[in-house]
Amino acid sequence: RETGIDMLAVGIGTAHGFYKGKPNIRFDLLEQLTAVASLPLVLHGGTGLEDDVVRRCVANGMAKVNVGTLVRTRCVEYTAEAIEAGQHQNHPWRVAEVVKHRIKDDIRHLIAVVGSAARADDHK
């Protein structure tokens, strides 16, 4: 309360970027933190976690899941593939359209995993 922060990122065994091995997620610590936290918790390092791990983190108090590494990496991969396949016809905006179309499935999956699918009306 004294800091004025509105969310708190906690270290429970996750890290930014891609994991080199299977991370040891401290669900016991997450449960303890959730029990005493008076503000939403943030999961840094969601990229590469198994879906069931992310679901469990959300179920145990994580209100925000960061997956920027995954999204940025997919955008670069899809860009390279669109260029390689000649889908651009020498127009950069066509590459962006291909990437936008392809990334939608990834984003939809992430939204479903965290339990936010079909919840837009909950916030009106």
Side-chain angles (χ1 to χ4, degrees):
R1 286 185 287 252
E2 292 175 21
T3 65
I5 61 172
D6 55 1
M7 298 183 101
L8 179 65
V10 295
I12 60 165
T14 60
H16 288 290
F18 289 103
Y19 295 100
K20 291 177 177 55
K22 186 173 182 175
N24 178 27
I25 308 302
R26 295 278 316 273
F27 292 107
D28 60 321
L29 181 56
L30 175 57
E31 291 172 9
Q32 292 173 17
L33 292 166
T34 299
V36 298
S38 60
L39 66 166
L41 301 179
V42 177
L43 178 67
H44 282 284
T47 294
L49 291 179
E50 295 175 2
D51 290 350
D52 63 324
V53 171
V54 174
R55 285 186 194 101
R56 187 171 172 191
C57 287
V58 170
N60 283 291
M62 290 294 182
K64 180 177 185 276
V65 178
N66 289 326
V67 289
T69 298
L70 175 66
V71 173
R72 288 189 306 273
T73 300
R74 291 293 182 265
C75 284
V76 170
E77 289 172 353
Y78 297 156
T79 297
E81 290 169 9
I83 292 169
E84 173 93 14
Q87 294 174 298
H88 52 81
Q89 299 171 358
N90 296 319
H91 294 283
W93 65 268
R94 290 183 194 267
V95 173
E97 286 296 311
V98 170
V99 172
K100 180 178 75 171
H101 177 74
R102 291 201 54 201
I103 199 79
K104 283 181 182 181
D105 288 337
D106 295 309
I107 301 300
R108 283 187 183 108
H109 177 78
L110 293 168
I111 290 170
V113 168
V114 300
S116 292
R119 294 196 53 203
D121 290 339
D122 295 351
H123 302 287
K124 287 184 179 181

